[in-house]
Amino acid sequence: MDVLQKSSERIPLSQRPEYADVKPVPQNDGPNSIVPISYTDEFRETMDYFRAIYVADERSLRALQLTTEAIKLNPGNYTVWQFRRLVLEALNADMNKELDFVDGIVEGNSKNYQIWHHRRWVAENLGTDASTRELEFTKKILSKDAKHYHAWSHRQWVLQALGGWKDELTYCELLLKDDIFNNSAWNQRYFVVTRSPLLGGLGAMRGSEVTCTVNAIMEHPENESPWRYLRGLYRNDTHALVKDPQVASVCLKILTAKNNYVHALSMLLDLLCHGFQPSLEIRNAVYGLSDSGAQGSDLVKVVCSILELVDPMRANYWKWRRNIVPAQAAQCLKDDGLTGLSL
Amino acid sequence: MGELAVEKHVKFILTIEKEKDSFESVVMEHIRLNGAYWALTTLDILGKLNTVDQDEVVSWMMQCQHESGGFGGNIGHDPHLLYTLSAIQVLALFDKIDALDIDKVSNYIAGLQNNDGSFSGDMWGEIDTRFSCVAILSLALLKRLDKINVEKAVNYIVSCKNLDGGFGCTPGAESHAGQIFCCVAALAVTGSLHHVDKDLLGWWLCERQVKSGGLNGRPEKLPDVCYSWWVLSSLIMIDRVHWIDKEKLIKFILDCQDKENGGISDQPEDAVDVFHTYFGVAGLSLLEYPGLKAIDPAYALPVDVVNRIFFGR
């Protein structure tokens, strides 16, 4: 029975025989006042009855029903959720039905920490059997908001605690096909590549991942995420990043096209700071972006000057990069392969 | 550029705190302790903390304390780390931390540390780097950091560091400005900032600034005034705040004001709330907007309050 189908159809708790012996406990935080909105009446009554049951620590079916109504009226109330868990445990309730309940609540409330925590608790109780359902659940949320932080957090927990890695990389690829700018999907991609027990780990995956990433960059050179992903693929191995011809090549293509080249210049800057020897074409591409006829000058300084101009919001950052370069270059010559500036 | 409508914002805050029957007030009743912290800290930054009845607030707040030592979001609510920190912060504002049984509260907090160094928000076990931050800030303010295993706590936070230099809620989770603030503040307070790659993180943080001058919380997301706090305080803690355009950010925050009715919203023209009012004002304080009290970027309390705790009067 859903007593909250419509506000007008709701039977006040004071009129329900099953709660006849309950004495409602009002909220104790201020003087009594006239309540202007009828919805607030309903809310107050529900919470007053909940408080009575909570104080009495009654863990019964009618207590469960009360938490259902209180949660539907205000899903943020963590005390109600916690009490609900105690009641569910006491009743040895069907956890699959509880997942159904959360399914019903989550629409319109999906940014609520309590709901996600409760979901995790229920899923934990169900164990690995819940894996498929939980992956579907988060997929549904992500289909409406592909960057939903709670959904991603839950999904990562499910994979690690309950399994289900098989199709995760494919799922990331699908999401990126939908929106190549989705930073959460890029993050998840890294998560899968580095943690999935079914893939070979970063070392085995790097080659193919670099190719995919470079393609994504070519599609939208202004997209911050794949550039960061690329650096992540070469974490702790800057030497290999500098030596990878695909990386230099994608920078060259973008600089030559003279469009959306800020991130490409930034990557080139990082490469140069780690001993990259630029080809004549790359040099010319950079000079082609500079107004000031900077040929022959220190390429790093030219790159930084361009960045200060085209990304003025971060002018101080680029100035700082320009100033630390001499020290960095010396450091890189000294310790080949060690990162003076982490990527 | 507009100006900060100080009087309007003070009026806005005092009005909503009194209006216990508005719908918003009723549905937020379980987090009233957080609301008190946002409202009171804003008033203090604006130099108007004395407009509030201190005794009334403290007396209500102490009733939110559970027998375990932790605080709930309001009277009759279960204890949780989040509200425990807010309680300590509010008492700090009023110089009334000694109203607490400090050992009791700190034992409650310390009891929520897990074997891997992480912290649960409460007895139900939700783990998140937000809770590491809240636990560490709380214990630092109470001068009881020795009750937890600080090394393990730091190691857990470091395990949440990502390839972009940022931090997520758990290991592997996407870097998010709010989580970054939590991790950086916790590391700052425990003297562990050397674990942060300041140049790499500083760059990620300064890339949060978008054309309008506002800050977002992750790549390709919309700007929001609350990130004026999370991103900005993080940048300050790692000495990289000069990497953003401060003037443009100030303008963005001021554009988010409701200059008629007071209050600040997440973006220009949106509805205001006390949460964003606090973050907007706190952000402006960090940006050294004239006439505002300085705020500590880690403890999120006015600097004079923090000094009073750590250096005496």
Side-chain angles (χ1 to χ4, degrees):
Chain A
M1 165 179 74
D2 186 350
V3 293
L4 294 178
Q5 266 174 324
K6 280 185 208 160
S7 230
S8 53
E9 283 179 19
R10 176 186 175 269
I11 304 165
L13 286 152
S14 56
Q15 290 169 27
R16 293 188 228 169
E18 65 268 31
Y19 293 96
D21 63 304
V22 177
K23 191 160 177 249
V25 175
Q27 175 68 18
N28 174 22
D29 79 343
N32 289 324
S33 311
I34 299 160
V35 170
I37 313 163
S38 61
Y39 184 73
T40 319
D41 274 330
E42 186 181 315
F43 182 86
R44 274 192 189 286
E45 193 200 29
T46 308
M47 289 314 297
D48 291 351
Y49 272 78
F50 168 74
R51 242 169 254 117
I53 296 283
Y54 172 74
V55 162
D57 198 16
E58 183 189 310
R59 303 185 193 184
S60 62
L61 268 173
R62 71 176 182 179
L64 188 67
Q65 175 59 27
L66 259 183
T67 62
T68 301
E69 296 187 31
I71 283 167
K72 283 183 175 173
L73 286 168
N74 185 9
N77 192 319
Y78 68 102
T79 299
V80 178
W81 282 106
Q82 297 184 164
F83 189 67
R84 187 181 176 89
R85 285 191 277 278
L86 291 172
V87 174
L88 289 168
E89 277 181 334
L91 296 176
N92 201 21
D94 180 341
M95 290 297 167
N96 279 298
K97 286 216 173 83
E98 191 61 10
L99 287 182
D100 294 337
F101 171 69
V102 179
D103 282 345
I105 294 289
V106 85
E107 194 113 7
N109 292 303
S110 71
K111 298 277 168 90
N112 171 314
Y113 282 103
Q114 282 68 44
I115 292 178
W116 288 100
H117 178 54
H118 189 76
R119 183 96 192 180
R120 186 175 301 200
W121 178 83
V122 177
E124 222 164 11
N125 269 284
L126 285 165
T128 50
D129 286 344
S131 164
T132 308
R133 180 167 179 174
E134 291 313 281
L135 291 176
E136 274 312 303
F137 175 71
T138 50
K139 203 176 198 175
K140 199 165 161 218
I141 307 275
L142 292 168
S143 69
K144 299 191 190 127
D145 175 1
K147 303 181 188 183
H148 198 292
Y149 200 77
H150 297 279
W152 281 116
S153 175
H154 188 70
R155 198 172 173 92
Q156 287 191 343
W157 171 80
V158 170
L159 288 166
Q160 292 190 290
L162 309 178
W165 293 93
K166 191 163 66 73
D167 300 316
E168 196 63 11
L169 188 58
T170 310
Y171 179 58
C172 292
E173 285 167 350
L174 269 169
L175 287 174
L176 288 172
K177 214 167 170 187
D178 261 344
D179 178 9
I180 196 73
F181 292 87
N182 185 342
N183 193 65
S184 307
W186 283 105
N187 183 75
Q188 187 73 351
R189 193 173 182 129
Y190 196 75
F191 184 80
V192 175
V193 161
T194 51
R195 292 170 194 250
S196 169
L198 306 175
L199 302 170
L202 189 53
M205 301 286 298
R206 190 156 76 189
S208 53
E209 286 301 295
V210 170
T211 306
C212 286
T213 310
V214 161
N215 289 340
I217 287 172
M218 282 309 300
E219 256 182 71
H220 283 282
E222 73 279 22
N223 186 355
E224 198 183 331
S225 304
W227 289 102
R228 291 194 187 275
Y229 189 75
L230 191 56
R231 288 177 175 84
L233 291 172
Y234 283 105
R235 188 177 216 185
N236 300 325
D237 196 0
T238 325
H239 193 67
L241 174 73
V242 169
K243 290 261 182 278
D244 187 336
Q246 287 187 87
V247 178
S249 160
V250 75
C251 289
L252 174 59
K253 285 191 186 124
I254 295 164
L255 297 175
T256 311
K258 296 196 182 190
N259 198 17
N260 289 320
Y261 52 81
V262 170
H263 293 311
L265 272 180
S266 169
M267 174 61 87
L268 179 61
L269 180 60
D270 289 342
L271 296 174
L272 291 169
C273 290
H274 285 88
F276 175 65
Q277 300 303 316
S279 63
L280 189 58
E281 289 139 308
I282 287 186
R283 283 184 179 275
N284 288 336
V286 172
Y287 296 146
L289 295 171
S290 163
D291 283 335
S292 55
Q295 304 222 18
S297 297
D298 183 340
L299 192 66
V300 168
K301 299 229 186 254
V302 177
V303 168
C304 288
S305 302
I306 300 169
L307 283 165
E308 279 171 55
L309 275 174
V310 300
D311 189 20
M313 214 164 244
R314 281 161 278 276
N316 285 339
Y317 173 70
W318 301 120
K319 278 197 184 85
W320 171 78
R321 291 295 303 268
R322 177 155 48 93
N323 292 336
I324 61 162
V325 161
Q328 270 188 315
Q331 185 73 21
C332 284
L333 283 172
K334 257 180 22 182
D335 355 86
D336 189 52
L338 256 181
T339 51
L341 174 73
S342 304
L343 289 173
Chain B
M1 157 151 49
E3 272 183 20
L4 184 64
V6 173
E7 293 305 320
K8 296 271 179 172
H9 299 319
V10 171
K11 190 152 173 260
F12 167 72
I13 290 172
L14 293 175
T15 311
I16 39 148
E17 278 305 289
K18 287 200 171 75
E19 223 173 75
K20 299 219 162 55
D21 298 317
S22 70
F23 179 65
E24 191 198 301
S25 178
V26 167
V27 297
M28 301 292 263
E29 67 94 12
H30 59 287
I31 60 164
R32 178 146 283 132
L33 207 35
N34 283 162
Y37 160 73
W38 297 322
L40 295 168
T41 310
T42 308
L43 288 175
D44 199 7
I45 296 173
L46 298 174
K48 294 285 199 288
L49 188 60
N50 53 5
T51 56
V52 161
D53 185 334
Q54 191 181 126
D55 291 330
E56 195 187 313
V57 173
V58 173
S59 140
W60 157 71
M61 229 175 51
M62 295 312 292
Q63 293 179 75
C64 299
Q65 192 173 24
H66 203 251
E67 57 190 25
S68 60
F71 282 76
N74 204 335
I75 298 171
H77 282 272
D78 291 341
H80 193 286
L81 274 185
L82 294 173
Y83 312 110
T84 307
L85 174 63
S86 288
I88 295 168
Q89 286 169 316
V90 170
L91 289 171
L93 287 175
F94 293 137
D95 195 13
K96 289 244 154 54
I97 287 189
D98 49 17
L100 287 172
D101 177 341
I102 289 181
D103 278 321
K104 192 166 189 199
V105 181
S106 43
N107 287 340
Y108 166 76
I109 298 167
L112 289 166
Q113 184 171 31
N114 301 307
N115 284 332
D116 62 358
S118 68
F119 281 83
S120 299
D122 61 16
M123 54 170 275
W124 291 97
E126 183 190 0
I127 293 174
D128 188 318
T129 47
R130 287 181 298 140
F131 306 141
S132 301
C133 171
V134 163
I136 286 169
L137 292 187
S138 297
L139 290 172
L141 288 168
L142 297 176
K143 302 185 197 168
R144 293 288 189 279
L145 265 177
D146 56 322
K147 290 209 178 210
I148 57 165
N149 187 326
V150 174
E151 197 189 329
K152 277 189 161 183
V154 166
N155 288 342
Y156 180 77
I157 292 170
V158 172
S159 77
C160 298
K161 191 163 60 162
N162 293 320
L163 56 101
D164 49 26
F167 297 83
C169 58
T170 45
E174 189 184 2
S175 294
H176 181 290
Q179 310 289 153
I180 288 170
F181 162 77
C182 290
C183 293
V184 173
L187 293 174
V189 157
T190 54
S192 315
L193 274 177
H194 53 277
H195 290 291
V196 176
D197 186 328
K198 296 181 183 178
D199 297 330
L200 182 61
L201 179 57
W203 177 46
W204 188 93
L205 288 167
C206 78
E207 290 281 351
R208 294 311 106 236
Q209 191 163 31
V210 299
K211 265 215 181 85
S212 64
L215 303 172
N216 62 23
R218 293 181 272 170
E220 298 298 325
K221 297 276 286 182
L222 293 173
D224 181 322
V225 152
C226 66
Y227 295 114
S228 309
W229 173 265
W230 310 122
V231 173
L232 203 50
S233 56
S234 301
L235 280 168
I236 288 177
M237 286 189 273
I238 60 172
D239 303 316
R240 302 288 186 270
V241 73
H242 50 291
W243 286 356
I244 57 158
D245 186 327
K246 290 188 187 179
E247 288 302 306
K248 280 198 138 188
L249 180 57
I250 290 176
K251 180 173 186 306
F252 176 81
I253 298 172
L254 292 173
D255 284 346
C256 293
Q257 297 178 95
D258 179 343
K259 293 180 111 166
E260 283 292 306
N261 306 306
I264 298 177
S265 63
D266 63 337
Q267 290 182 51
E269 310 301 326
D270 276 357
V272 303
D273 58 52
V274 69
F275 175 84
H276 288 96
T277 305
Y278 161 71
F279 286 113
V281 170
L284 287 171
S285 168
L286 288 179
L287 291 163
E288 297 170 307
Y289 188 88
L292 304 181
K293 262 194 175 186
I295 187 167
D296 183 292
Y299 291 105
L301 285 168
V303 168
D304 61 349
V305 171
V306 174
N307 287 344
R308 189 168 58 205
I309 294 172
F310 292 110
F311 304 118
R313 267 158 242 277

